[in-house]
Amino acid sequence: MKFITLTDPLPYQACVATIGFFDGVHRGHRFLIRQLTRYAVGHDLASLLVTFRTHPRQVMQAAYQPQLLTTYDEKCGQLATTGADYCLTLDFTTALAALSARRFMAEILKEKLSVKVLVIGYDHRFGHDRSEGFAEYVEYGRELGMEVVRADAFAMSEVNVSSSMVRACLAEGEVGMAARCLTRPYEITGRVVHGFHVGHELGFPTANIQVEDAQKLIPKNGVYAVWVKGKTGGEEHVWGGMLNIGLRPTMENGENRTIEVHLLDFAGDLYGCRLTLSFVRRLRDERKFRNKGELVHQLREDEAMVRMILNKEQ
């Protein structure tokens, strides 16, 4: 895939395109893009994905704080695996938001991108206030000499996969179902920062993770089995990990939500390192224990469970 901009000379004569924010690049997105690429091959056209750097609702609603499944770079990395020929990122501005669907199709898709065929996701709407729908898009396309095609919906186990559905899964700690929808484990990336060093005292040293992107969705509080990817000594490593997301109630941490991971069979300094956590399974809710002794006993049980889970995953 080649990433292009509106100022680039077009690398094709005509294309079949689809539009979307594509947060998560989940199975539903991939199903849509697969229809796009097959149509492109069958009609000897280039295939183009049109996406946005920031969530459109951030422009329309100043107070909106998205909980994203993928950062922009992660999204681009996943889109690059879909088989589409080109991807163009638009900056969603108030001026762009003010365009009607017809003007967007005429001024952006037809005039600037030479779109011959527009594939619309089964429930996708675009244009000012998203007030128009598929029937209007077809009519505008007919006026502009652009064919408009509605894509089939994707269903998995009788559930329509969507970014909202994946977010709901993660909000409930259902990381296994989220991974099925995404075709890969859900991941968060951050830097190791100094914490309270209580883990060392308990015999379970942890790396405190400060997530890089504040808009990235953090799954439900609790204890998880994870894989941890990072670089030490100039080499890439993958460790098993026992992750806790939450308020550390036994330590009376107040409302300070932390993300702490204990790396299995690792001893060393990770401060400042960039780690990526891949969620495998949620073990339990966070609980308040009567004393540190009870907490340590539970952590040992958690570690044994994490090892068993990860051994099955290998």
Side-chain angles (χ1 to χ4, degrees):
M1 173 183 282
K2 182 178 180 181
F3 290 85
I4 62 175
T5 70
L6 282 177
T7 58
D8 293 332
L10 288 180
Y12 53 80
Q13 294 297 314
C15 73
V16 52
T18 193
I19 313 164
F21 186 62
F22 300 122
D23 186 29
V25 194
H26 52 63
R27 284 183 185 272
H29 294 140
R30 291 177 182 276
F31 184 67
L32 165 65
I33 296 169
R34 198 154 54 242
Q35 293 175 71
L36 174 87
T37 56
R38 286 174 179 170
Y39 193 102
V41 170
H43 293 78
D44 197 26
L45 295 168
S47 54
L48 171 68
L49 308 179
V50 179
T51 191
F52 306 97
R53 186 177 299 275
T54 56
H55 198 289
R57 282 182 62 186
Q58 287 180 270
V59 174
M60 306 306 296
Q61 303 171 20
Y64 178 68
Q65 293 295 321
Q67 293 287 284
L68 299 179
L69 302 173
T70 43
T71 65
Y72 176 70
D73 287 343
E74 289 171 343
K75 178 171 71 175
C76 289
Q78 289 298 322
L79 288 175
T81 69
T82 61
D85 297 318
Y86 302 99
C87 180
L88 176 127
T89 298
L90 291 176
D91 290 320
F92 196 86
T93 62
T94 53
L96 187 66
L99 292 180
S100 66
R102 192 188 189 289
R103 285 189 62 192
F104 180 81
M105 291 172 67
E107 298 174 15
I108 304 296
L109 299 183
K110 181 178 175 64
E111 294 178 14
K112 294 188 176 182
L113 297 175
S114 294
V115 175
K116 185 174 182 180
V117 181
L118 178 63
V119 178
I120 301 289
Y122 76 98
D123 62 349
H124 185 70
R125 287 175 177 259
F126 62 92
H128 181 62
D129 290 337
R130 295 163 44 128
S131 57
E132 297 148 305
F134 183 73
E136 287 82 7
Y137 306 152
V138 171
E139 179 59 30
Y140 302 151
R142 188 177 296 115
E143 295 170 4
L144 296 167
M146 181 188 304
E147 183 180 1
V148 179
V149 178
R150 172 174 268 160
D152 295 329
F154 175 79
M156 182 181 72
S157 301
E158 300 181 354
V159 174
N160 286 335
V161 177
S162 68
S163 299
S164 296
M165 182 240 183
V166 178
R167 292 187 196 102
C169 288
L170 294 171
E172 293 301 318
E174 297 174 1
V175 294
M177 176 57 77
R180 286 184 61 200
C181 295
L182 292 170
T183 72
R184 64 193 185 279
Y186 184 68
E187 294 185 339
I188 59 175
T189 298
R191 295 279 177 183
V192 179
V193 298
H194 285 279
F196 297 97
H197 305 286
V198 175
H200 287 273
E201 299 174 12
L202 300 177
F204 289 88
T206 60
N208 271 270
I209 307 298
Q210 185 175 66
V211 177
E212 289 181 341
D213 192 330
Q215 295 179 349
K216 182 84 173 186
L217 188 153
I218 307 301
K220 183 179 181 179
N221 288 0
V223 179
Y224 294 84
V226 296
W227 292 110
V228 184
K229 294 175 285 188
K231 182 183 291 186
T232 59
E235 296 182 1
E236 294 285 348
H237 297 276
V238 179
W239 303 278
M242 179 171 67
L243 175 70
N244 186 82
I245 301 174
L247 307 178
R248 306 192 317 154
T250 306
M251 302 301 155
E252 299 182 349
N253 203 39
E255 296 301 313
N256 183 28
R257 192 185 195 199
T258 59
I259 302 172
E260 301 176 280
V261 61
H262 170 68
L263 273 58
L264 305 180
D265 306 316
F266 172 81
D269 183 1
L270 289 171
Y271 290 115
C273 290
R274 186 173 185 264
L275 300 181
T276 296
L277 312 177
S278 298
F279 288 79
V280 177
R281 190 188 303 177
R282 188 173 187 269
L283 275 66
R284 62 175 176 86
D285 288 334
E286 194 177 38
R287 299 206 310 267
K288 183 172 183 176
F289 298 92
R290 289 180 296 180
N291 52 58
K292 291 183 180 179
E294 283 190 359
L295 173 58
V296 169
H297 177 75
Q298 182 62 58
L299 290 175
R300 288 172 179 157
E301 291 188 354
D302 292 340
E303 181 184 13
M305 180 64 71
V306 166
R307 289 184 183 276
M308 182 181 71
I309 291 168
L310 296 182
N311 283 339
K312 289 182 178 180
E313 288 286 317
Q314 285 182 318

